[in-house]
Amino acid sequence: MLNMEPVLNYLPENQTSNKRKAQDILNDISHDVTSKRTNLTTCDTSCDSSHDITSHRLGLEFYDQPCIMLAKSLLGKTLVRILDDGSRLSGKIVETEGYLGVEAAHSYNGRKTERNMAMFMTPATSYVYLIYGMYSCLNVSSKGEGCCVLLRALQPLEGLETMTAHRSKRRKDTSKPLKPKDLCSGPGKLTEALNINKALLDKKDLSTDTMMWIESGDSVDAAEIVACPRIGIDYATPEWVAKPLRFYIKGNSCVSKRDKKAESD
């Protein structure tokens, strides 16, 4: 409260009521100023914490779980990419696939190469590889020898303009603008949008890296998760082709491809 006694003493004695009114007004002003200062302090604190890259980052313990569990747990979490200029791109993970070190996995039969070494490293290690000679795919190692989770699709959250510019570099027909839902609706699309490639981001520890990590994001109820066969593994035996190791958030428009049969089951 403001002490205005010296000022109020200058008022004549016969203006006691005016003194009271003046003190009441000043008290209200004092309370309002104090309240605003408190709000500003709270805002400053929250703003500072939002830029702390460790505040919402998932730790090593999160990744240290079996592949299928990790594939489901990653749904709703936020993939973050920091570019060289410091700008932040991010997207909500809406689709994943699990690779268990058996058929259809690069680590099948325990096969270790320089290319797939990340699959045998500590959980939380990024595994980035090239397909068709031009598209990168981002995976995360899990608990279990040679196991990892492929990130198949994101729902863009931050940096959509930059994502669009990245995606537009390869497009031949730019007459139709990319819709936000199409920016990261596939494994090659999301890596292109976030500028993720093997040279930069392979074998990175996502629990400590400063260029890419995953944050807590949203929790997804089990009833919202669709489990269905993976995409593009027709070379495997029918048994493994049919296994429901692809997971996505039901009803999310950014998913690469819906499986209506699995959704109706």
Side-chain angles (χ1 to χ4, degrees):
M1 183 181 296
L2 295 174
N3 181 15
M4 296 302 294
E5 190 67 30
V7 176
L8 295 176
N9 285 339
Y10 281 96
L11 291 175
E13 288 296 325
N14 61 358
Q15 293 189 18
T16 303
S17 60
N18 289 338
K19 281 187 178 183
R20 290 174 180 170
K21 288 179 181 178
Q23 183 63 64
D24 289 340
I25 292 171
L26 288 170
N27 288 343
D28 288 341
I29 293 173
S30 175
H31 174 77
D32 187 54
V33 170
T34 303
S35 176
K36 286 182 178 178
R37 282 175 179 167
T38 302
N39 291 338
L40 283 172
T41 303
T42 303
C43 178
D44 288 343
T45 302
S46 64
C47 288
D48 287 342
S49 65
S50 69
H51 288 86
D52 180 0
I53 66 172
T54 64
S55 58
H56 303 292
R57 178 198 289 267
L58 296 173
L60 182 60
E61 64 282 355
F62 172 83
Y63 301 94
D64 192 20
Q65 55 180 313
C67 185
I68 295 177
M69 290 179 61
L70 180 61
K72 293 178 181 180
S73 298
L74 282 168
L75 295 175
K77 305 302 183 285
T78 303
L79 176 65
V80 176
R81 170 80 167 97
I82 304 299
L83 302 179
D84 290 342
D85 63 2
S87 58
R88 173 178 163 124
L89 309 179
S90 72
K92 175 180 173 180
I93 300 171
V94 298
E95 184 180 357
T96 61
E97 285 183 351
Y99 288 87
L100 307 175
V102 290
E103 283 193 49
H106 293 167
S107 55
Y108 183 34
N109 282 334
R111 183 170 179 262
K112 290 184 182 181
T113 65
E114 180 58 32
R115 180 200 190 201
N116 74 354
M117 194 55 63
M119 297 181 75
F120 297 90
M121 295 173 69
T122 305
T125 302
S126 63
Y127 172 36
V128 184
Y129 62 85
L130 205 62
I131 57 171
Y132 308 126
M134 59 191 302
Y135 299 112
S136 296
C137 290
L138 172 62
N139 303 257
V140 184
S141 65
S142 68
K143 186 175 184 178
E145 187 81 355
C147 297
C148 71
V149 176
L150 170 67
L151 304 189
R152 277 202 60 91
L154 304 177
Q155 177 183 325
L157 297 177
E158 298 174 279
L160 274 69
E161 186 175 339
T162 301
M163 290 185 193
T164 302
H166 289 166
R167 286 289 320 283
S168 297
K169 291 178 181 178
R170 292 183 192 266
R171 297 183 72 211
K172 295 179 180 179
D173 181 11
T174 56
S175 59
K176 294 182 180 179
L178 280 166
K179 296 178 181 179
K181 71 180 185 68
D182 297 324
L183 286 174
C184 302
S185 57
K189 293 178 181 179
L190 74 86
T191 54
E192 188 171 66
L194 275 64
N195 190 27
I196 296 170
N197 59 64
K198 186 176 182 69
L200 279 177
L201 293 166
D202 187 39
K203 300 177 185 175
K204 299 294 185 181
D205 183 348
L206 298 186
S207 67
T208 60
D209 194 64
T210 58
M211 292 190 292
M212 182 172 68
W213 63 87
I214 298 175
E215 295 180 349
S216 52
D218 302 326
S219 60
V220 178
D221 190 81
E224 299 178 68
I225 299 176
V226 178
C228 57
R230 292 168 291 182
I231 294 175
I233 61 163
D234 296 339
Y235 53 84
T237 60
E239 177 189 1
W240 283 99
V241 169
K243 284 190 180 295
L245 296 175
R246 179 165 75 101
F247 308 98
Y248 66 85
I249 300 176
K250 188 175 183 178
N252 191 285
S253 63
C254 298
V255 169
S256 65
K257 185 178 181 180
R258 290 178 57 196
D259 189 315
K260 294 182 181 179
K261 182 179 182 302
E263 289 182 15
S264 62
D265 289 345

